Amino acid sequence: MPRILTGITPSGTLHIGNYFGAMRPAIELQAGGDAYYFIADYHSMTAITDAKERLAFTRGIALDWLACGLDPAKAVFWRQSDIHEVCELTWLLGTLTPMGLLERAHSYKDKVAKGISPNFGLFAYPVLMAADILLFDTNVVPVGRDQKQHLEMTRDMAIKFNQTYGEGTLVVPEERIAEAVSAIPGLDGQKMSKSYGNTIEIFGDEKALRKKIMGIVMDSRTPQEPKPDADRNLAIQLLRLFAPKDVAIDFENRLRAGGLGYGDLKKALFEHCWNFFAPYRAKRAELAANPDYVEQVLRAGALRARAVAEKTMARARRACGLRLI
Ligand code: ADP
Ligand code: TRP
């Protein structure tokens, strides 16, 4: 059975891009495999430095995943910083990772281009991510397209480690990109991302969500005008995610033919989006009512994750001559 692993960084509130690009595919996979999911709180340190905020995001994201269907009886679910071995493996991998490889990382280059002053942690981010994956003998990593390069780097690091210190020491993983949902567009039509301020939150407040959706900017064509480009309309693209297929097709056809106003289309989008997440909202409120629940789940998950991590680390230390046995 292939081992599946993915991580989510607690550096903001989750949006529907995260849901369709990362959470839903991961949750669907928990039934069929050996699923390992963690909250990447060490990774969040490259983005936020407020301790209280980190704790709150970590708890919030754990609740989000559990509410959306992550089942701790099926999947191993833990907090990255509970498994210190990940830092040790980062060092081992880092000593074999060429500077040039890290300098070519898109996420690093993008952040530097945006004026973020880079530190060692930001530069080493792909090495920590590789350690996350390799520590747990991962076979498959389901992620969005933006993480593809990190996965390629992980494979390079695993191959180099094995060539240097012994074939078979680390498992070389494969990537699995959620093709159908490679980039969920945001409210402005660009890729949805918390760094662009164009998100639709999964668990946002009703009034705020309505305001955001009704505020989507459309063109100035009148409702009556036919719109041959209806398939590229942002509200239609988003509606396809939430509404049954025939409903989304019907709206698209009405928009194409003319006669459907943008206001009515956006209202429908809001309703479908709000109703889509209703059962998850109820579940989240129920879980949040027990303040200890998340901590208990994450600690139990860390115990299971550590059992794997210790074995991989022992193998890696032995292979590179840090230990005799
Ligand atoms: P953000 O861009 O908001 O900072 P993250 O980088 O934290 O999002 O992404 C977390 C996960 O969600 C990743 O696996 C990423 O590929 C996925 N993801 C984020 N935004 C989108 C999107 N717009 N469409 C599809 N997947 C996305
Ligand atoms: N870098 C990923 C993101 O920003 C999160 C992450 C950290 C991750 N470690 C991982 C994803 C390991 C998959 C596997 O979305």
Side-chain angles (χ1 to χ4, degrees), residues 288-320:
N290 177 352
D292 299 332
Y293 177 74
V294 166
E295 195 57 31
Q296 283 162 6
V297 167
L298 294 178
R299 284 198 190 169
L303 280 180
R304 292 170 67 192
R306 186 169 302 113
V308 180
E310 280 173 353
K311 281 194 192 134
T312 310
M313 229 27 253
R315 227 167 44 232
R317 287 187 201 111
R318 238 184 353 256
C320 46

Side-chain angles (χ1 to χ4, degrees), residues 96-129:
L96 296 176
T97 309
M99 294 286 284
L101 182 80
L102 296 176
E103 276 159 357
R104 284 193 297 277
H106 304 311
S107 64
Y108 175 75
K109 287 198 291 191
D110 290 352
K111 288 196 172 117
V112 174
K114 276 196 197 118
I116 294 171
S117 156
N119 56 33
F120 171 77
L122 193 67
F123 192 63
Y125 187 107
V127 190
L128 177 59
M129 183 157 161

Side-chain angles (χ1 to χ4, degrees), residues 8-9 11 15 17-18 20-22 143-147 181-185 191-195 199:
I8 189 133
T9 314
S11 53
H15 54 73
N18 300 139
F20 290 104
V143 285
R145 181 164 291 285
D146 59 341
Q147 297 296 317
V181 289
S182 50
I184 305 294
K191 173 189 178 286
M192 185 175 292
S193 170
K194 59 181 170 293
S195 30
T199 56

Side-chain angles (χ1 to χ4, degrees), residues 5-7 9 38 40 43 125 129 132-133 141 143 147:
L5 173 142
T6 200
T9 314
F38 67 96
H43 281 278
Y125 187 107
M129 183 157 161
D132 289 329
I133 296 168
V141 186
V143 285
Q147 297 296 317

Side-chain angles (χ1 to χ4, degrees), residues 9 24 53 72 89 105 114 134 209 234 275 301 311:
T9 314
R24 192 170 72 174
E53 200 176 37
L89 187 58
K114 276 196 197 118
L134 301 175
L209 179 70
L234 177 62
N275 293 335
K311 281 194 192 134

